[in-house]
Each structure stands twice: as structure tokens, then as C-alpha cells.
Amino acid sequence: MLGGIFSFHSSWKDRKDTYIHKPQSLQCTSLNFRAFQFTQAMLFAIEEINNNTDILPGISLGYKIYDTCASITRGVGVALALANGNEDAFALSEAPCSRPAQVQAIMGETSSSSCMAISPVIGHFHIPLISHFATCACLSDKVKYPSFLRTIPSDYYQSRALAQLVKHFGWTWVGAIRTNDDYGNNGMATFTETAQQLGICLEYSVSFFRTDPPDKIRKIINIIKTSTSTVIVTFLSHMNMDVLIHELSYHNLTGYQWVGSESWIFDSQIAAMDRDHILDGAIGVSIPKAQVSGMREFMLDVKSLSTSSNQMFTEFWETLFSCKFKQTKSATGNQTKCTGDEDLTEMHNSFTDMSLMPIFNNVYKGVYAVAHALHNILGCNKTCHTNVQLDPFMILQHIKRIRFKTKEGDEVYFNENGDPAAKYEIINWQPTENGTVDFVTIGLYDASLPADKQLNMLNKSLIWAGNSYYVPFSLCSMECFPGTQKVLQKGKPVCCYDCIPCGEGEFSNSTDAATCVRCHPEYWSNEFRDGCVKKYIEFLSYEEIMGALLTAASVFGTCMTGAVAFIFFRYRKTPIVRANNSELSFLLLFSLTLCFLCSLTFIGRPSEWSCMLRHTAFGITFVLCISCVLGKTIVVLMAFRATLPGSNMMKWFGPTQQRLSVLAFTLIQVVICILWLAISPPFPFRNFKEFKDKIILECALGSAIGFWAVLGYIGLLAMLCFILAFLARKLPDNFNEAKFITFSMLIFCAVWVTFIPAYVSSPGKFSVAVEIFAILASSFGLLICIFIPKCYIILLKPEKNTKKNMMGKGAPKAL
């Protein structure tokens, strides 16, 4: 015996309980043809099994079917009646049943909420409850609902399929409407969770129930009107969708893209009610199309119901054919009398509509699942062992383990949660010229496949809201192009953001980038901030104008020094050359040549050797140069002091002492440079901090102490030389070299004093140029101030190049 629980009526009359008398039974209203279709599918399966000798041979299946009137309370009551055999209150007919009242399994109920109430009650008796349309994911909990099974996939998979469908079309800003029951609330909760993981935001999420007051539904309409999203995801039962369509049509809310769940998306009755084409272009997931041979003909053969004495079937017949079995008088005149011979062939109504054949197939599968379990328990072959005591728990366990194929080839089995395999079709509502709607399959969803392959869209043209052929947009913010990043708007969901250009040195090469990525230190963002380009490496090179000018100045200084040396060598016998130690003069010219040449080491791409050479060569050559100048200054002072009576100072500072002093002063600098190179030498360095968009290739000092020690020592010798030359500037002589040394040291010190702040503040290659300029300026200062006046006399005033003229009038006289 199989039980059946269906909602043959969709509502009931309100009653007022006085709590004095026993409450009356519900007065059911609003006949629901869908329940009759589900019942016919169940009866078809039972009759097919009873007429098939391959399954349960010699065993006949019976049935007891009850109407719940869509009442959860009544549903629990009839379930208990089926469980304990209470026939007094819920018998369908007055004729007593000869078979045991207890059923082996119950088919139904249609709604998730009813199943959630019924299953825990009969679960204590281990009686299987097999639903064809209850999809709430919560029913997969075998602790709460141990005996519940279903032949329709769980909403857990449907919700995820809807979320992936929304993501596939690029909609990230959607509205949501759900039925305020377990089906809608649980289904939408899973959708919301999955949507958040996929980056989809809900602008609003509202719920209602068909019995809610009109004001609540009007509030939902107002929310839709004021929203900015154009896509609405619905988790609504077909009865609640009926109510919503009426309101949508009344307010003419067209142009919205509807995404529907399986409960209404492939229901032609819903499509027929949408006379204003509000839902045209809707998409959603549905149970895969199915055909069961013979079922349609059986369901439409209702003549046997006309002879039934059951009041409900009488009501069904009268409603279906708009007739009365007894002649009655109404306000509108005489109604047609029912003859029992009415024919459905030419009729088109919700009962003759077979669009829900996949659901009818689910009922069919459920009946066959029980039959196969009984077949295994009874050990049926050609006959069955009828002496086996049927235990509900045993039947439940066998149903969970069955695996068979229907005559149409559909495989039927249940997983550990009592759910079937989750497979859906993606449906698109495409209006036709005659005003009807075609449910076109545009894709497939298979939850058993890997996540990236579950949704498979077919290559078919779609029709969208407003009969458009273009995918509608539903975004809170337009996508951010490469070169920008998303910045969330305060107080709004993550889908609402502003597109901010990437900062300097950052890039984004994808749309809707959450953050900009900083370029590698050797790269810099391009103009559009959508990629990085290699930074320009900057150093003072010979090819650029500044490098070429400095090189020319260095070469010119070298040549000029060489020319002076040639003149001095050519006229080495003359008094002006011989005066003040010509050997020091040639050594000074040699050091000046090195000074001019060492500036060339600062130009060009820095390398490890050039970095060490440039500073040490500069330091040593300049000390050699200053040492020679210092030696000449001391010679001038000593020479005039030696002319005083009794003075023998010159013997303490003769040529040998002059050479040793130059060597000693220079060796000190050599030692400083050696220590610098040994401890922390200069090295080539890529400076990324000085400029953002280019790399400065320079020589790092290594040890700053070593560098400033070299400069400090040069400065110390220069100051000493300047002081001594300043003291000797007024000594009597027609050609007092101390005056020129003083002036040259003044230039030297001025150049190097101004060099320090200029060097520190100059960026990149300009600091190198400042140092070269200081070297060249001080070298030219020494060369011009000390040697050019002498060359002028040698070449242009040879008459003054005599010993007598050199001594002049101001020569001290011997005492």
C-alpha cells in the first residue's frame, strides 16, 4: 500500500474557533489541477507496475491519497493517518479497505514546508516520504529528516546554478524576491552566499507570501521601481508567482530581466497568465525535459473519475468541464448538466497542459523506487515471497540503495542525503508570433562536473527583456578599465565602487582590478598605467651635450697644460722659468695634466674599476698638485727670508727638501685612499629613489668617511697654501709669484667651498657634472693664475725675461 499526500485545493476558508466546541474540519477552496496531475502520474505508475510481470509479480500495489488543502497542519494529520491507519477521520470513501491501513511509503508532499513538518513525524516510524517537488536544501539533513527522500534535486545545487548563471552574463548588481517560506528563504540564502563568493551583490532582498496583505506586495513593487538593478532573481513558488504577476501587470513594470527558479520558470500556466508580457525573455533553471510513454494519454483519460462517488473528484469534474451533475439554478441562468461523457480532446486548460511532465516523471520515479525496493525485499523472481514481514525501516534502507533505469533510460538512485543527481536545463522564455511562449533550452548545468565545467551554454540565440537581442546590463558601477583600480564607495556593497587611476609606478592590466600592482623597481608604469616599461638608465655619457662639453673642456685643459709645459721646456734656461724651482713647475704641470685627465673617469657608464679609480685618482692628483703649489709658496717665503742678514733658511728647504715635502704630502693622501679602498671602496650603484621614472647609475661612495677624508685633506692643504701665499703676497719683487698663488688658491677654495652644497643638492648625473666642473675649474684656476702670466712674459714681453728685471727696484739691498 502506498500513501499519497497532495494539495488538491490551494486554500481554505477562514474559521473562528471558539474553544468551546471541537474545531470543524477545514473547508477547502480553489481547486488545484496540478495536484490532480500529480495523482494521475502516481496512479499511472502503480497501474503500470501492477500490469508488469517483471516487477513484483503476483503483488498488487494499492494507494491511499489525501488532500492537504495546502495546509501544513492538515498535512501532518493525514501523514499520521497513513502511518497508524486511522480511517475514520480521513477516509476517501465509505467502503472499508480490506488491506492493512499502514502504508509502506508516502508519495508527496509538493511544498518544502509541508515536507519539513511531515518528515520528522513519520521519521520516528521510518516510513519513507518521497517528494517530487520539495527542493529545500535543508531537507538533506538526515538527522532532522531521516526518512525523507526526493526525486528532484536539492535547491543547494539550484541556487548555485542560478548564481553561476547570473555571473556568466556579467550581472553583479541584482534584486531578489523570494517566497516567505522554507523553500524561498533557504534557497535564497544559498544563492546569496554563492553570489557573494562570485562577486555578485544584492541591491535588495525581499520576501512575501500569497496570503500577505496587499500593502506588503505594493511595497515590493515600489522597491523594484526605485532600484537601479535591472535583473531580478526570484525564488518563488508558482502560486506566489501568480500573485506577483498580477501586481506587476497592474503597475506595468516591464523591461526587467527575470531569473527564475524551477518552480515557475517552465510552467506554461504562469506564461499564460503573463498577458502583458512582463516576463518575456526570462531565464532560469528547470528540471530536464522528460517524456514517459503512455502517461499523457492516461492522465487525460478522466472518464473513470466521473463515476466516482468521492466528492472531491466530483468537484474536479464539474470544475474541469464547467458543468453540474445535478440540475441547479444559478444567478446567471441554468448551468450545463454533466453527463460523464465529456471529452478533453479539444480543451486547453491547466489540466491538459503537460509542461510539467518532468515533475510528473519525478512522481513516476518515486513510485518505481518503492516498487524496486519491495521487489528486492520480497526476493521476487518469477514469484515473490509473500510471507516476508515488511518492516518500514527495511524498506527505507532498500530504497536508499536502489539503482535502476526507467523504461525511458533515466537512471534513478539516491545519494547519502536522499537526493538524486543534480542536473538542470537553462530555459529562456521566447515569445512567439501567436502570443504564446516557447521554453527554449539554451544551456545545461551538471553539478557532478568540475566547478568550471558545470555550466555549459549552448550556441543558441537568446531573447532578453523587452524582446531585445542584447544582454542587458545590471551593474552598480561600470567596469574599471585597465590602468585603474576599484575603490569601494562608503556605506555601499562591494559591487559599488569608483574607478581610480593607478598611481605613479603602479599598473593594472585587467578590468575591475581590485588593486594596482607596483612595477618592479627597474620598471615604471606607462602613460595609460596598464603596463610597465623599463626605466631609462641615466648616467653622464660622452654622447650627450653636457658630457661632450665637459670632455672637450678636459681635453682642452690637457692640451693647454701641454702647451704651457712645452713653452716652459723651450724656455727653460730663461730667468722666469728658472726662478722659484723650475722642477716644481714641471711637476705642477704634470699634476695639472693628471687633474684634467682624471675628470674623464667621471664620464661614461660606471663600473667597479672606474668607481674606484675616479675618486682615488682625483684625490691623489689634486694633492700632488696642491703639494707642488705649497712647495712653491714655501720657496717664495724662504727665498725672501734667506736674503735677510744671517739667514740660512734656504739650506733647510732646498730642492731635496722640496721633493720630499711633495712626496710626503702625497703619500698621506695615498694612504687615505688605500684605507678607503680596503675598508669600503666605491662601487657602481643603481639609484631608484632619486627619480621615480628613471634609474640613476652612479658610483656609491662606499665609505662616506673615506670620501670626505680625501676632500678634507685636499682642503686642508689648500687652506695652508692660501694662508702662506697670502702672507707672501706683498714681498718685494717685480714678479712676485706669491700674488698669483694667492689668487689661484682663492679661486680653488671658492670653487670647492661652493662645490659641497651644490654636490649634495644636485640630482643624478648632475652631481657628477658638478664634481667634474669643480675639478676643471680649480685646475684651470691654477693653470691660468700661476702659468699664464709667465707665458705672457716669455712670449710677448721677452725684454722683461731678465734677471735684472726679475729683481726690480724693489729688491732688498744688502746691509
Side-chain angles (χ1 to χ4, degrees), residues 9 27 348 357 389 416 463 500 564 573 647 718 731 742 803:
H9 296 83
Q27 291 184 334
H348 296 283
M357 184 59 75
Q389 182 66 37
E416 65 276 7
I463 294 179
I500 305 299
V564 172
K573 302 293 184 179
S647 176
L731 293 176
T742 303
K803 185 176 181 180

Side-chain angles (χ1 to χ4, degrees), residues 13-245:
K13 289 183 179 179
D14 289 333
R15 66 185 183 190
K16 295 183 179 180
D17 295 327
T18 61
Y19 301 100
I20 298 175
H21 303 288
K22 181 180 178 180
Q24 297 178 351
S25 299
L26 288 178
Q27 291 184 334
C28 302
T29 61
S30 303
L31 203 65
N32 179 18
F33 284 163
R34 291 298 190 205
F36 283 92
Q37 290 178 311
F38 298 149
T39 303
Q40 285 287 78
M42 177 179 172
L43 299 182
F44 170 74
I46 290 174
E47 185 171 316
E48 192 175 76
I49 292 169
N50 288 340
N51 294 329
N52 187 354
T53 57
D54 292 332
I55 184 170
L56 293 177
I59 301 292
S60 296
L61 293 179
Y63 57 88
K64 302 185 86 173
I65 302 174
Y66 291 112
D67 178 19
T68 66
C69 298
S71 168
I72 296 177
T73 305
R74 186 179 176 92
V76 174
V78 299
L80 287 171
L82 290 171
N84 60 29
N86 181 8
E87 297 187 22
D88 296 333
F90 297 97
L92 289 177
S93 66
E94 296 179 0
C97 183
S98 60
R99 294 182 181 273
Q102 186 175 2
V103 295
Q104 272 64 55
I106 299 175
M107 312 308 298
E109 228 279 32
T110 301
S111 73
S112 296
S113 295
S114 296
C115 290
M116 291 175 68
I118 295 170
S119 182
V121 175
I122 64 172
H124 293 291
F125 306 107
H126 306 293
I127 299 176
L129 176 65
I130 306 177
S131 176
H132 54 281
F133 212 24
T135 56
C136 180
C138 54
L139 288 166
S140 297
D141 187 347
K142 295 299 103 179
V143 175
K144 292 183 179 180
Y145 314 104
S147 66
F148 178 80
L149 303 103
R150 54 185 158 195
T151 51
I152 189 169
S154 165
D155 278 342
Y156 172 80
Y157 303 103
Q158 181 183 195
S159 300
R160 297 176 71 84
L162 286 173
Q164 289 191 34
L165 186 63
V166 170
K167 181 65 175 179
H168 174 79
F169 292 110
W171 301 323
T172 58
W173 186 239
V174 300
I177 306 176
R178 67 187 186 277
T179 303
N180 192 14
D181 60 8
D182 296 298
Y183 167 73
N185 292 330
N186 285 278
M188 188 56 72
T190 304
F191 171 82
T192 303
E193 179 184 353
T194 308
Q196 289 177 349
Q197 295 172 358
L198 296 176
I200 302 168
C201 300
L202 271 61
E203 183 180 11
Y204 58 86
S205 181
V206 293
S207 64
F208 77 96
F209 199 71
R210 59 183 180 275
T211 57
D212 286 342
D215 288 345
K216 184 171 184 180
I217 300 178
R218 280 195 290 270
K219 286 181 179 178
I220 294 175
I221 298 298
N222 291 332
I223 290 173
I224 296 174
K225 286 181 177 180
T226 57
S227 67
T228 58
S229 57
T230 59
V231 175
I232 303 175
V233 180
T234 61
F235 242 96
L236 296 170
S237 65
H238 68 278
M239 287 184 285
N240 288 278
M241 195 65 191
D242 291 345
V243 177
L244 184 61
I245 286 176

Side-chain angles (χ1 to χ4, degrees), residues 653-685:
F653 203 73
T656 303
Q657 286 78 10
Q658 293 172 25
R659 297 189 198 99
L660 290 175
S661 66
V662 171
L663 180 62
F665 287 136
T666 306
L667 280 176
I668 294 173
Q669 184 74 307
V670 171
V671 171
I672 294 174
C673 291
I674 290 174
L675 291 174
W676 183 13
L677 296 177
I679 296 173
S680 181
F683 58 90
F685 171 69

Side-chain angles (χ1 to χ4, degrees), residues 500-537:
I500 305 299
C502 293
E504 293 182 339
E506 297 178 335
F507 78 100
S508 65
N509 57 4
S510 61
T511 56
D512 286 336
T515 56
C516 293
V517 180
R518 180 159 291 279
C519 295
H520 187 273
E522 294 189 4
Y523 290 81
W524 190 249
S525 53
N526 59 18
E527 179 184 357
F528 303 103
R529 303 286 199 271
D530 59 357
C532 293
V533 294
K534 198 168 182 64
K535 287 182 179 179
Y536 171 70
I537 298 178

